[in-house]
């Protein structure tokens, strides 16, 4: 059980919000006014929230998840009532608004007990029956044949585009791309479908779009040809190709138990599926891991972890995904409010790490890195992060004229987000440590730490 005095910060609570509207609405409910019957124990927080109807909403949060349940009709997870209750609990240091209770109300205990039973069933699980290897082989062959047909059709689509000229893509609009993506879905190649939809969004997206479209068409063509020649590729590259077209290898091997710092959490949506990316860093192993969670039909993914918290858990890595994607297998306790950040590297070392990862996976969109000590600076093309100190001479190299500081530009999307201004305010012109994703379009900052408060993770998304 968690100690009663250990509570999350408001930033960690708000980092769980599925969108900005929920963050705003939840903040308005983080005061004692609308709440009655609130309480907490070592695992859960609960309360009754007054709404527009005569019956208050019953809200309960399992802080070990975290997970929540509310009688309101919202399809968001967590809903604004769960966020408001957590904010009330986080700020109630004296325990006046959300006192420690000796017992859990029956309506909350029923949901918590059901969660415990499901978690135990998932952990132990019934032994899987014997699989039919011949039937599995036939299914795999049929799917591979469908993907091959889809790849060949996509090759023809790209050839027609280049033959007609890139300008035709802007005139034709998004419709033909969506039709092609739908056929890739029918071919059971979701990875190819996602790349086609990305191609369709490029024409007319701003200055230089023909260059970006040509680059992405080349990468898609490379993936098509790699799939069609997968039997002649080295095993590691063939596994990468299979995962990129949509044949994700299952997680394998024993779980790695560590104390995982939640570095960042954010959602992306394409109208059909919401994908939540949660970045973790192992305190003892030094590994960075990515958890993916999905929500369909407008629903937010269920898995949510407070940014900056530390989770004692076991993760099992996937056989693909650059070695960073993992599955959360088992938790050994509730999240602890805070932990130290990763060590980090200079900008040059971060670029080298991305280059090595790109050599193993040419279709890699981004790579996780922590920049040890950088300063936000304005450049001709926009904002960048520059090393606070220039790099020293290489081993065996005589020291001469001081080298220039290395810098990396922020992506165009990052320069339009409010997180940039939060990063500038946190830095104030002084060096900060920043975690984010580095890619061919630049760097996207996701969280940061200031030297004055190195244990406080500041989310930037």
């Amino acid at each position: 059980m968690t100690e009663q005095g250990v509570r999350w910060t408001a930033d960690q609570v708000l980092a769980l919000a599925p969108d900005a509207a929920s963050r705003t609405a939840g903040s308005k409910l983080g005061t004692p006014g609308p709440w009655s019957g609130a309480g907490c124990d070592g695992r859960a927080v609960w309360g009754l929230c007054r709404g527009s109807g005569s019956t208050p909403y019953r809200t309960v949060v399992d802080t070990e998840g975290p997970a929540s349940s509310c009688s309101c009709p919202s399809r968001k997870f967590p809903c604004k009532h769960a966020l408001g209750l957590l904010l009330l609990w986080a700020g109630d240091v004296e325990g006046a608004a959300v006192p420690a209770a000796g017992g859990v109300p029956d309506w909350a205990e029923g949901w918590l007990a059901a969660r415990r039973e499901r978690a135990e069933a998932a952990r132990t699980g019934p032994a899987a029956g014997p699989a039919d290897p011949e039937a599995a082989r036939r299914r795999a062959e049929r799917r591979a044949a469908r993907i091959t047909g889809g790849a060949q059709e996509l090759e023809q689509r790209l050839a027609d585009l280049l033959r007609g000229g890139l300008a035709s893509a802007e005139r034709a609009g998004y419709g033909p791309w969506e039709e092609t993506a739908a056929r890739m879905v029918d071919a059971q190649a979701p990875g190819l479908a996602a790349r086609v939809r990305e191609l369709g969004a490029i024409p007319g997206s701003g200055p230089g779009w023909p260059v970006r479209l040509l680059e992405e068409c080349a990468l898609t063509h490379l993936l098509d040809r790699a799939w069609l020649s997968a039997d002649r590729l080295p095993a590691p590259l063939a596994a990468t190709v299979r995962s990129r077209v949509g044949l994700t290898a299952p997680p394998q091997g024993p779980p790695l138990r560590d104390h995982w710092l939640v570095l960042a959490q954010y959602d992306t949506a394409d109208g059909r599926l919401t994908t939540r990316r949660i970045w973790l860093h192992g305190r003892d192993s030094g590994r960075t891991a990515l958890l993916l969670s999905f929500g369909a039909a407008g629903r937010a993914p269920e898995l949510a972890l407070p940014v900056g918290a530390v989770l004692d858990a076991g993760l099992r890595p996937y056989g693909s995904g650059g070695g960073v994607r993992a599955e959360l297998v088992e938790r050994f306790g509730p999240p602890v409010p805070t932990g130290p950040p990763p060590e980090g590297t200079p900008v040059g070392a971060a670029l080298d790490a991305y280059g090595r990862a790109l050599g193993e996976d040419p279709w890699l969109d981004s790579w996780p890195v922590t920049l040890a000590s950088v300063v936000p600076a304005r450049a001709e093309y926009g904002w960048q992060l520059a090393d606070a100190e220039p790099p020293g001479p290489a081993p065996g190299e005589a020291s001469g004229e001081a080298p220039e500081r290395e810098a990396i530009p922020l992506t165009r999307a990052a320069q339009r987000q409010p997180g940039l201004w939060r990063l500038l305010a946190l830095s104030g012109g002084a060096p900060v440590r920043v975690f984010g994703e580095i890619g061919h379009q630049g760097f996207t900052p996701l969280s940061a730490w200031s030297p004055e408060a190195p244990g406080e993770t500041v989310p930037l998304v």
Side-chain angles (χ1 to χ4, degrees):
M1 303 294 279
T2 309
E3 295 180 10
Q4 301 292 351
V6 177
R7 304 187 182 216
W8 302 346
T9 67
D11 281 343
Q12 289 172 334
V13 173
L14 293 174
L16 300 176
D19 51 41
S22 299
R23 194 175 295 115
T24 301
S27 298
K28 294 178 180 177
L29 294 175
T31 60
W35 294 96
S36 62
C40 66
D41 64 4
R43 174 184 176 181
V45 186
W46 59 86
L48 305 174
C49 186
R50 185 176 65 250
S52 56
S54 58
T55 304
Y57 296 122
R58 294 178 170 182
T59 307
V60 56
V61 179
D62 180 353
T63 56
E64 291 188 4
S68 64
S69 175
C70 185
S71 59
C72 75
S74 175
R75 299 178 67 188
K76 296 181 179 180
F77 178 86
C79 68
K80 63 181 182 180
H81 305 100
L83 291 170
L85 179 60
L86 283 174
L87 286 171
L88 181 65
W89 170 69
D92 185 31
V93 180
E94 301 298 328
V98 188
V104 183
D106 291 341
W107 58 267
E109 177 57 34
W111 178 78
L112 292 168
R115 270 188 58 81
R116 287 193 291 267
E117 291 174 2
R118 289 195 299 270
E120 181 63 20
R123 188 179 67 84
T124 57
D132 183 349
E134 181 60 25
R137 184 188 63 81
R138 290 195 298 268
R139 287 194 300 269
E141 288 180 348
R142 288 194 296 268
R143 183 175 182 184
R146 283 192 286 268
I147 295 175
T148 296
Q152 291 170 338
E153 181 179 352
L154 181 53
E155 280 292 276
Q156 185 61 51
R157 172 78 173 88
L158 295 175
D160 292 343
L161 171 65
L162 296 178
R163 188 178 299 112
L166 294 180
S168 63
E170 187 174 26
R171 293 193 300 268
Y174 188 74
W177 292 108
E178 180 55 36
E179 293 175 7
T180 304
R183 288 196 288 272
M184 296 303 104
V185 172
D186 293 340
Q188 294 185 290
L192 292 179
R195 297 198 73 87
V196 169
R197 292 192 178 102
E198 291 175 1
L199 290 174
I202 295 176
S205 60
W209 71 261
V211 175
R212 295 194 297 274
L213 179 59
L214 187 60
E215 291 174 346
E216 295 302 323
C217 283
L219 283 172
T220 304
H221 167 70
L222 180 65
L223 181 57
D224 276 340
R225 300 310 305 175
W227 169 261
L228 297 173
S229 307
D231 56 337
R232 299 195 297 271
L233 297 178
L237 182 57
T240 298
V241 170
R242 286 193 294 270
S243 69
R244 288 300 178 183
V245 300
L247 294 173
T248 304
Q252 299 174 347
L256 172 62
R257 181 176 179 178
D258 205 336
H259 291 81
W260 300 94
L261 172 66
V262 183
L263 295 171
Q265 172 181 290
Y266 68 95
D267 295 349
T268 57
D270 62 3
R272 299 166 182 78
L273 189 71
T274 299
T275 302
R276 174 164 295 164
R277 298 166 67 88
I278 303 177
W279 285 108
L280 307 174
H281 180 266
R283 183 189 67 188
D284 301 322
S285 65
R287 295 186 58 172
T288 301
L290 172 65
L291 304 181
L292 294 182
S293 181
F294 304 95
R299 294 185 64 89
E302 182 173 348
L303 180 62
L305 297 174
V307 175
V310 176
L311 192 67
D312 182 5
L315 305 185
R316 180 177 289 117
Y318 278 75
S320 57
V324 294
R325 188 184 171 189
E327 173 191 48
L328 180 58
V329 178
E330 186 175 2
R331 310 184 196 195
F332 301 97
V336 178
T338 188
E343 288 296 327
T345 62
V347 169
L351 291 170
D352 290 342
Y354 172 58
R356 289 191 296 271
L358 198 62
E360 298 178 0
D361 183 356
W363 305 277
L364 190 67
D365 293 323
S366 59
W367 187 252
V369 295
T370 301
L371 303 177
S373 181
V374 291
V375 178
R378 186 75 174 171
E380 180 181 356
Y381 47 77
W383 287 96
Q384 63 180 11
L385 294 179
D387 283 329
E389 300 291 339
E397 180 182 358
S399 58
E401 184 178 348
E404 295 184 359
R405 295 187 302 168
E406 295 188 271
I408 183 171
L410 300 187
T411 62
R412 292 194 300 169
Q415 299 196 45
R416 295 193 297 265
Q417 298 300 320
L420 170 61
W421 307 112
R422 193 170 195 183
L423 177 60
L424 295 175
L426 180 70
S427 167
V432 288
R433 187 174 304 185
V434 183
F435 169 79
E437 297 174 350
I438 188 173
H440 65 280
Q441 296 182 358
F443 183 80
T444 300
L446 300 177
S447 55
W449 302 263
S450 70
E452 289 74 19
E456 180 182 348
T457 305
V458 179
L460 302 176
V461 291

